Amino acid sequence: MNVRENSSLSGKTAFVTGGSSGIGAAIVRELDARGAHVAFCARREDRLRRLADQLQNPCLPLVVDMRKETEIVDAFARIQSALGPLDVLVNNAGLGYKSPLSSGDTNLWREMLEVNVLALCIATREAVMQMTKASRSGHIVHVSSMAGHRVPHSTGMYSASKHAVRALTESLRMELREQNSMIRIGSVSPGLVETEFASLFHGSEDKAKEIYTAFQVLNPEDIADAVCYLLEAPAHMQIHDILIRPTQQAS
Ligand SMILES: NC(=O)c1ccc[n+]([C@@H]2O[C@H](COP(=O)([O-])OP(=O)(O)OC[C@H]3O[C@@H](n4cnc5c(N)ncnc54)[C@H](OP(=O)(O)O)[C@@H]3O)[C@@H](O)[C@H]2O)c1
């Protein structure tokens, strides 16, 4: 049976942050293939438009800088009026820089914390408020990282930001329980995935190529499948975290 047929995501309104490349773009495509109506955001408008052209269902590309709270909040209002109240939020936007804790650049630390942690919290809050107001059961997924489960060498503030995401997943789960909410929260924690991430992290295309060809790493589509598996779980089932490494990844 084609898993995309009769998906519980069909007709749902979803919002994916960081939809212009890599894992986010793959999640947007997979949600669309399963019949969801997908809003997605990033800063690179040309990439968003190109992706929108490939989708079959109603969609909404949004230019948003996740470091600007007003732009994030505004996106939620625009999604509600264009596609209806939100059912699914995938907090995927994120980035890393190699910037040592003993000598690194504060601006790079700040950017990682603002996008990976603070923007994720702002988007989550807006989603919970919109879902609650519309009496939607709702589902929120954080794209975290294996770097949120142990500290890989030289990952400093990036690893700290993903450890924060892990703490935030459990904290929100407990808050939602206290409120007797049917909104679910979960995360997916990938190891190495071939995207634009490594060239930004190391500031080098060559280094990224070296990392991604040392052994068979994951594809963005592998992570998109895991996100959809989590989202399609029945309403009584909350998958807390999915840890995925390439088979040959040692650390
Ligand atoms: N690749 C891996 O090995 C790996 C492993 C574990 C976890 N992850 C996580 O997976 C997620 C996606 O990363 P990726 O690997 O797919 O890397 P990517 O290809 O570089 O994608 C990053 C996405 O985040 C968006 N983004 C970054 N800063 C933003 C900002 N200020 N405002 C709006 N959007 C912003 C980018 O869009 P614009 O640049 O167009 O704004 C892009 O769409 C991240 O949370 C990352 O930490 C990746």
Side-chain angles (χ1 to χ4, degrees):
M1 191 188 79
N2 183 348
V3 289
R4 289 164 166 178
E5 278 171 21
N6 305 317
S7 168
S8 57
L9 292 164
S10 182
K12 296 264 172 78
T13 300
F15 181 25
V16 181
T17 68
S20 61
S21 64
I23 295 169
I27 295 170
V28 171
R29 279 192 290 267
E30 193 55 43
L31 287 171
D32 175 71
R34 293 174 196 234
H37 301 180
V38 190
F40 49 101
C41 75
R43 292 163 301 178
R44 288 172 291 178
E45 192 173 6
D46 54 329
R47 299 283 199 101
L48 297 173
R49 296 216 166 283
R50 250 182 283 150
L51 180 54
D53 288 343
Q54 297 166 22
L55 305 181
Q56 309 157 27
N57 296 299
C59 69
L60 185 66
L62 293 164
V63 178
V64 174
D65 182 345
M66 296 299 286
R67 299 181 77 187
K68 297 190 176 138
E69 179 167 10
T70 50
E71 293 187 14
I72 303 173
V73 172
D74 185 51
F76 281 87
R78 290 168 67 188
I79 293 165
Q80 179 151 24
S81 59
L83 300 177
L86 206 60
D87 298 293
V88 168
L89 167 67
V90 182
N91 278 308
N92 163 78
L95 76 171
Y97 294 109
K98 190 173 181 178
S99 182
L101 297 174
S102 49
S103 59
D105 181 339
T106 311
N107 288 323
L108 299 183
W109 297 347
R110 185 176 289 115
E111 185 176 350
M112 286 186 267
L113 291 172
E114 285 185 356
V115 178
N116 299 3
V117 181
L118 207 52
L120 172 143
C121 289
I122 294 166
T124 300
R125 179 193 66 206
E126 295 303 309
V128 168
M129 291 197 308
Q130 195 176 103
M131 288 166 179
T132 305
K133 208 168 163 193
S135 304
R136 289 293 223 250
S137 46
H139 210 149
I140 297 166
V141 183
H142 297 332
V143 177
S144 185
S145 172
M146 283 303 299
H149 289 271
R150 82 280 190 260
V151 182
H153 191 260
S154 303
T155 54
M157 195 61 82
Y158 177 70
S159 185
S161 74
K162 293 300 186 176
H163 275 74
V165 171
R166 186 166 151 210
L168 292 165
T169 305
E170 175 59 0
S171 260
L172 181 65
R173 191 192 68 77
M174 290 189 289
E175 272 187 37
L176 293 169
R177 284 289 31 81
E178 277 164 20
Q179 296 162 19
N180 220 11
S181 171
M182 284 304 284
I183 298 170
R184 288 178 285 170
I185 170 73
S187 59
V188 174
S189 297
L192 276 176
V193 187
E194 184 167 2
T195 66
E196 295 169 25
F197 182 90
S199 54
L200 184 72
F201 188 88
H202 293 282
S204 157
E205 297 275 347
D206 289 345
K207 181 70 185 169
K209 205 170 282 174
E210 188 189 311
I211 289 168
Y212 292 144
T213 55
F215 52 84
Q216 187 173 351
V217 299
L218 300 166
N219 304 311
E221 291 71 24
D222 297 326
I223 309 307
D225 278 345
V227 168
C228 287
Y229 171 73
L230 190 153
L231 290 170
E232 286 176 339
H236 68 279
M237 181 172 155
Q238 181 167 225
I239 300 172
H240 189 73
D241 200 354
I242 303 179
L243 280 61
I244 313 172
R245 283 191 182 94
T247 306
Q248 292 172 282
Q249 183 173 335
S251 66

